[in-house]
Each structure stands twice: as structure tokens, then as C-alpha cells.
mmCIF file of all heavy atoms in Angstrom:
data_model
loop_
_atom_site.group_PDB
_atom_site.id
_atom_site.type_symbol
_atom_site.label_atom_id
_atom_site.label_comp_id
_atom_site.label_asym_id
_atom_site.label_seq_id
_atom_site.Cartn_x
_atom_site.Cartn_y
_atom_site.Cartn_z
ATOM 1 N N LEU Y 14 -40.044 -195.408 -89.557
ATOM 2 C CA LEU Y 14 -39.871 -194.168 -88.806
ATOM 3 C C LEU Y 14 -38.392 -193.903 -88.537
ATOM 4 O O LEU Y 14 -37.911 -192.772 -88.692
ATOM 5 C CB LEU Y 14 -40.655 -194.235 -87.496
ATOM 6 C CG LEU Y 14 -40.930 -192.898 -86.794
ATOM 7 C CD1 LEU Y 14 -41.738 -191.980 -87.688
ATOM 8 C CD2 LEU Y 14 -41.668 -193.131 -85.483
ATOM 9 N N GLY Y 15 -37.658 -194.945 -88.151
ATOM 10 C CA GLY Y 15 -36.233 -194.790 -87.921
ATOM 11 C C GLY Y 15 -35.478 -194.468 -89.194
ATOM 12 O O GLY Y 15 -34.518 -193.683 -89.187
ATOM 13 N N GLN Y 16 -35.901 -195.047 -90.321
ATOM 14 C CA GLN Y 16 -35.240 -194.767 -91.593
ATOM 15 C C GLN Y 16 -35.461 -193.318 -92.022
ATOM 16 O O GLN Y 16 -34.546 -192.668 -92.543
ATOM 17 C CB GLN Y 16 -35.756 -195.750 -92.649
ATOM 18 C CG GLN Y 16 -35.308 -197.182 -92.385
ATOM 19 C CD GLN Y 16 -36.088 -198.205 -93.205
ATOM 20 O OE1 GLN Y 16 -37.237 -197.981 -93.591
ATOM 21 N NE2 GLN Y 16 -35.470 -199.337 -93.478
ATOM 22 N N LEU Y 17 -36.669 -192.809 -91.808
ATOM 23 C CA LEU Y 17 -36.928 -191.404 -92.122
ATOM 24 C C LEU Y 17 -36.105 -190.487 -91.221
ATOM 25 O O LEU Y 17 -35.552 -189.474 -91.676
ATOM 26 C CB LEU Y 17 -38.411 -191.090 -91.946
ATOM 27 C CG LEU Y 17 -39.372 -191.623 -93.005
ATOM 28 C CD1 LEU Y 17 -40.799 -191.199 -92.671
ATOM 29 C CD2 LEU Y 17 -39.006 -191.126 -94.394
ATOM 30 N N ARG Y 18 -36.026 -190.834 -89.942
ATOM 31 C CA ARG Y 18 -35.255 -190.010 -89.004
ATOM 32 C C ARG Y 18 -33.783 -189.968 -89.418
ATOM 33 O O ARG Y 18 -33.140 -188.907 -89.374
ATOM 34 C CB ARG Y 18 -35.399 -190.561 -87.587
ATOM 35 C CG ARG Y 18 -34.729 -189.679 -86.528
ATOM 36 C CD ARG Y 18 -34.919 -190.254 -85.129
ATOM 37 N NE ARG Y 18 -36.306 -190.181 -84.698
ATOM 38 C CZ ARG Y 18 -37.115 -191.231 -84.610
ATOM 39 N NH1 ARG Y 18 -36.664 -192.446 -84.921
ATOM 40 N NH2 ARG Y 18 -38.355 -191.084 -84.218
ATOM 41 N N THR Y 19 -33.252 -191.109 -89.832
ATOM 42 C CA THR Y 19 -31.844 -191.160 -90.266
ATOM 43 C C THR Y 19 -31.624 -190.284 -91.496
ATOM 44 O O THR Y 19 -30.637 -189.546 -91.579
ATOM 45 C CB THR Y 19 -31.454 -192.617 -90.575
ATOM 46 O OG1 THR Y 19 -31.565 -193.401 -89.374
ATOM 47 C CG2 THR Y 19 -30.027 -192.698 -91.089
ATOM 48 N N ALA Y 20 -32.541 -190.365 -92.469
ATOM 49 C CA ALA Y 20 -32.423 -189.558 -93.686
ATOM 50 C C ALA Y 20 -32.494 -188.070 -93.365
ATOM 51 O O ALA Y 20 -31.720 -187.259 -93.903
ATOM 52 C CB ALA Y 20 -33.524 -189.948 -94.668
ATOM 53 N N TYR Y 21 -33.406 -187.703 -92.486
ATOM 54 C CA TYR Y 21 -33.580 -186.295 -92.106
ATOM 55 C C TYR Y 21 -32.335 -185.769 -91.387
ATOM 56 O O TYR Y 21 -31.850 -184.657 -91.674
ATOM 57 C CB TYR Y 21 -34.829 -186.189 -91.229
ATOM 58 C CG TYR Y 21 -34.983 -184.893 -90.479
ATOM 59 C CD1 TYR Y 21 -34.896 -183.656 -91.124
ATOM 60 C CD2 TYR Y 21 -35.233 -184.898 -89.099
ATOM 61 C CE1 TYR Y 21 -35.058 -182.472 -90.427
ATOM 62 C CE2 TYR Y 21 -35.394 -183.719 -88.399
ATOM 63 C CZ TYR Y 21 -35.298 -182.506 -89.072
ATOM 64 O OH TYR Y 21 -35.453 -181.346 -88.371
ATOM 65 N N ARG Y 22 -31.797 -186.554 -90.458
ATOM 66 C CA ARG Y 22 -30.613 -186.118 -89.721
ATOM 67 C C ARG Y 22 -29.401 -185.970 -90.649
ATOM 68 O O ARG Y 22 -28.616 -185.031 -90.508
ATOM 69 C CB ARG Y 22 -30.300 -187.104 -88.602
ATOM 70 C CG ARG Y 22 -31.270 -187.000 -87.424
ATOM 71 C CD ARG Y 22 -30.983 -188.057 -86.376
ATOM 72 N NE ARG Y 22 -31.852 -187.907 -85.209
ATOM 73 C CZ ARG Y 22 -31.941 -188.785 -84.227
ATOM 74 N NH1 ARG Y 22 -31.190 -189.885 -84.257
ATOM 75 N NH2 ARG Y 22 -32.762 -188.574 -83.208
ATOM 76 N N ALA Y 23 -29.262 -186.910 -91.590
ATOM 77 C CA ALA Y 23 -28.128 -186.829 -92.521
ATOM 78 C C ALA Y 23 -28.209 -185.558 -93.357
ATOM 79 O O ALA Y 23 -27.192 -184.892 -93.604
ATOM 80 C CB ALA Y 23 -28.119 -188.062 -93.431
ATOM 81 N N ALA Y 24 -29.410 -185.187 -93.798
ATOM 82 C CA ALA Y 24 -29.588 -183.955 -94.573
ATOM 83 C C ALA Y 24 -29.374 -182.725 -93.695
ATOM 84 O O ALA Y 24 -28.788 -181.727 -94.130
ATOM 85 C CB ALA Y 24 -30.973 -183.929 -95.211
ATOM 86 N N SER Y 25 -29.833 -182.790 -92.455
ATOM 87 C CA SER Y 25 -29.670 -181.655 -91.539
ATOM 88 C C SER Y 25 -28.200 -181.410 -91.224
ATOM 89 O O SER Y 25 -27.767 -180.257 -91.103
ATOM 90 C CB SER Y 25 -30.442 -181.906 -90.241
ATOM 91 O OG SER Y 25 -31.823 -182.040 -90.488
ATOM 92 N N ASP Y 26 -27.435 -182.468 -91.102
ATOM 93 C CA ASP Y 26 -26.018 -182.347 -90.739
ATOM 94 C C ASP Y 26 -25.227 -181.544 -91.769
ATOM 95 O O ASP Y 26 -24.211 -180.926 -91.425
ATOM 96 C CB ASP Y 26 -25.391 -183.734 -90.570
ATOM 97 C CG ASP Y 26 -25.854 -184.432 -89.295
ATOM 98 O OD1 ASP Y 26 -26.412 -183.742 -88.421
ATOM 99 O OD2 ASP Y 26 -25.672 -185.655 -89.195
ATOM 100 N N VAL Y 27 -25.671 -181.575 -93.032
ATOM 101 C CA VAL Y 27 -24.949 -180.844 -94.084
ATOM 102 C C VAL Y 27 -25.754 -179.645 -94.574
ATOM 103 O O VAL Y 27 -25.506 -179.111 -95.653
ATOM 104 C CB VAL Y 27 -24.591 -181.779 -95.258
ATOM 105 C CG1 VAL Y 27 -23.595 -182.839 -94.824
ATOM 106 C CG2 VAL Y 27 -25.832 -182.429 -95.859
ATOM 107 N N GLN Y 28 -26.750 -179.222 -93.785
ATOM 108 C CA GLN Y 28 -27.590 -178.065 -94.096
ATOM 109 C C GLN Y 28 -28.361 -178.208 -95.410
ATOM 110 O O GLN Y 28 -28.677 -177.213 -96.073
ATOM 111 C CB GLN Y 28 -26.763 -176.767 -94.141
ATOM 112 C CG GLN Y 28 -26.288 -176.270 -92.779
ATOM 113 C CD GLN Y 28 -25.094 -177.045 -92.259
ATOM 114 O OE1 GLN Y 28 -24.105 -177.197 -92.967
ATOM 115 N NE2 GLN Y 28 -25.178 -177.533 -91.042
ATOM 116 N N ALA Y 29 -28.641 -179.453 -95.826
ATOM 117 C CA ALA Y 29 -29.452 -179.650 -97.028
ATOM 118 C C ALA Y 29 -30.933 -179.459 -96.719
ATOM 119 O O ALA Y 29 -31.724 -179.113 -97.594
ATOM 120 C CB ALA Y 29 -29.221 -181.053 -97.599
ATOM 121 N N ALA Y 30 -31.333 -179.711 -95.471
ATOM 122 C CA ALA Y 30 -32.704 -179.468 -95.039
ATOM 123 C C ALA Y 30 -32.762 -178.084 -94.411
ATOM 124 O O ALA Y 30 -32.059 -177.811 -93.436
ATOM 125 C CB ALA Y 30 -33.145 -180.528 -94.037
ATOM 126 N N GLY Y 31 -33.588 -177.221 -94.997
ATOM 127 C CA GLY Y 31 -33.737 -175.868 -94.466
ATOM 128 C C GLY Y 31 -34.999 -175.743 -93.642
ATOM 129 O O GLY Y 31 -35.560 -176.739 -93.163
ATOM 130 N N THR Y 32 -35.484 -174.522 -93.513
ATOM 131 C CA THR Y 32 -36.614 -174.241 -92.624
ATOM 132 C C THR Y 32 -37.848 -175.065 -92.962
ATOM 133 O O THR Y 32 -38.488 -175.638 -92.085
ATOM 134 C CB THR Y 32 -36.967 -172.744 -92.708
ATOM 135 O OG1 THR Y 32 -35.809 -171.979 -92.388
ATOM 136 C CG2 THR Y 32 -38.075 -172.404 -91.726
ATOM 137 N N VAL Y 33 -38.184 -175.160 -94.253
ATOM 138 C CA VAL Y 33 -39.425 -175.836 -94.644
ATOM 139 C C VAL Y 33 -39.319 -177.336 -94.437
ATOM 140 O O VAL Y 33 -40.206 -177.966 -93.843
ATOM 141 C CB VAL Y 33 -39.791 -175.512 -96.108
ATOM 142 C CG1 VAL Y 33 -41.036 -176.290 -96.527
ATOM 143 C CG2 VAL Y 33 -40.022 -174.020 -96.279
ATOM 144 N N LEU Y 34 -38.246 -177.951 -94.929
ATOM 145 C CA LEU Y 34 -38.121 -179.401 -94.785
ATOM 146 C C LEU Y 34 -37.864 -179.801 -93.325
ATOM 147 O O LEU Y 34 -38.254 -180.893 -92.912
ATOM 148 C CB LEU Y 34 -37.025 -179.937 -95.699
ATOM 149 C CG LEU Y 34 -37.346 -179.879 -97.200
ATOM 150 C CD1 LEU Y 34 -36.263 -180.582 -98.014
ATOM 151 C CD2 LEU Y 34 -38.710 -180.498 -97.497
ATOM 152 N N HIS Y 35 -37.217 -178.930 -92.564
ATOM 153 C CA HIS Y 35 -37.113 -179.194 -91.120
ATOM 154 C C HIS Y 35 -38.510 -179.336 -90.532
ATOM 155 O O HIS Y 35 -38.812 -180.307 -89.824
ATOM 156 C CB HIS Y 35 -36.394 -178.044 -90.420
ATOM 157 C CG HIS Y 35 -34.904 -178.144 -90.416
ATOM 158 N ND1 HIS Y 35 -34.227 -179.261 -89.968
ATOM 159 C CD2 HIS Y 35 -33.936 -177.271 -90.803
ATOM 160 C CE1 HIS Y 35 -32.935 -179.069 -90.080
ATOM 161 N NE2 HIS Y 35 -32.732 -177.869 -90.587
ATOM 162 N N ARG Y 36 -39.341 -178.367 -90.823
ATOM 163 C CA ARG Y 36 -40.693 -178.387 -90.269
ATOM 164 C C ARG Y 36 -41.481 -179.586 -90.776
ATOM 165 O O ARG Y 36 -42.215 -180.246 -90.016
ATOM 166 C CB ARG Y 36 -41.418 -177.094 -90.653
ATOM 167 C CG ARG Y 36 -42.762 -176.906 -89.962
ATOM 168 C CD ARG Y 36 -42.547 -176.503 -88.521
ATOM 169 N NE ARG Y 36 -43.805 -176.180 -87.862
ATOM 170 C CZ ARG Y 36 -43.943 -175.243 -86.928
ATOM 171 N NH1 ARG Y 36 -42.886 -174.527 -86.560
ATOM 172 N NH2 ARG Y 36 -45.097 -175.011 -86.357
ATOM 173 N N LEU Y 37 -41.350 -179.899 -92.073
ATOM 174 C CA LEU Y 37 -42.102 -181.014 -92.652
ATOM 175 C C LEU Y 37 -41.694 -182.347 -92.027
ATOM 176 O O LEU Y 37 -42.551 -183.158 -91.633
ATOM 177 C CB LEU Y 37 -41.887 -181.066 -94.162
ATOM 178 C CG LEU Y 37 -42.519 -182.258 -94.892
ATOM 179 C CD1 LEU Y 37 -44.024 -182.298 -94.675
ATOM 180 C CD2 LEU Y 37 -42.184 -182.212 -96.378
ATOM 181 N N PHE Y 38 -40.391 -182.602 -91.919
ATOM 182 C CA PHE Y 38 -39.948 -183.884 -91.376
ATOM 183 C C PHE Y 38 -40.237 -183.979 -89.879
ATOM 184 O O PHE Y 38 -40.557 -185.056 -89.380
ATOM 185 C CB PHE Y 38 -38.467 -184.105 -91.677
ATOM 186 C CG PHE Y 38 -38.231 -184.764 -93.006
ATOM 187 C CD1 PHE Y 38 -38.251 -184.019 -94.176
ATOM 188 C CD2 PHE Y 38 -38.032 -186.131 -93.110
ATOM 189 C CE1 PHE Y 38 -38.062 -184.610 -95.410
ATOM 190 C CE2 PHE Y 38 -37.840 -186.742 -94.336
ATOM 191 C CZ PHE Y 38 -37.857 -185.986 -95.494
ATOM 192 N N GLU Y 39 -40.134 -182.870 -89.173
ATOM 193 C CA GLU Y 39 -40.494 -182.907 -87.754
ATOM 194 C C GLU Y 39 -41.987 -183.223 -87.590
ATOM 195 O O GLU Y 39 -42.383 -183.976 -86.695
ATOM 196 C CB GLU Y 39 -40.152 -181.568 -87.101
ATOM 197 C CG GLU Y 39 -38.645 -181.367 -86.895
ATOM 198 C CD GLU Y 39 -38.310 -179.945 -86.489
ATOM 199 O OE1 GLU Y 39 -39.243 -179.127 -86.389
ATOM 200 O OE2 GLU Y 39 -37.118 -179.652 -86.292
ATOM 201 N N THR Y 40 -42.809 -182.662 -88.478
ATOM 202 C CA THR Y 40 -44.241 -182.966 -88.452
ATOM 203 C C THR Y 40 -44.484 -184.440 -88.729
ATOM 204 O O THR Y 40 -45.271 -185.106 -88.045
ATOM 205 C CB THR Y 40 -44.985 -182.115 -89.495
ATOM 206 O OG1 THR Y 40 -44.817 -180.725 -89.182
ATOM 207 C CG2 THR Y 40 -46.474 -182.446 -89.523
#
């Protein structure tokens, strides 16, 4: 869970995760 959170935050920091992947990873 922590590894997924780290990957998601790293992508979010550079705007690689947009609306859909934001929602998917938060889910």
C-alpha cells in the first residue's frame, strides 16, 4: 500500500496522473 502511494504521489507531482488515474489510485 505504501509503495503504491509513493508511485502515485511521484506521478502526481509531475502531472503524469490526470483525472482518471487520480480517481483510480485514490479508489
Side-chain angles (χ1 to χ4, degrees):
L14 198 60
Q16 292 165 333
L17 286 181
R18 185 179 292 107
T19 297
Y21 166 51
R22 286 176 176 171
S25 298
D26 287 345
V27 294
Q28 288 78 52
T32 304
V33 177
L34 291 187
H35 274 307
R36 189 75 174 214
L37 175 58
F38 272 81
E39 287 169 359
T40 299

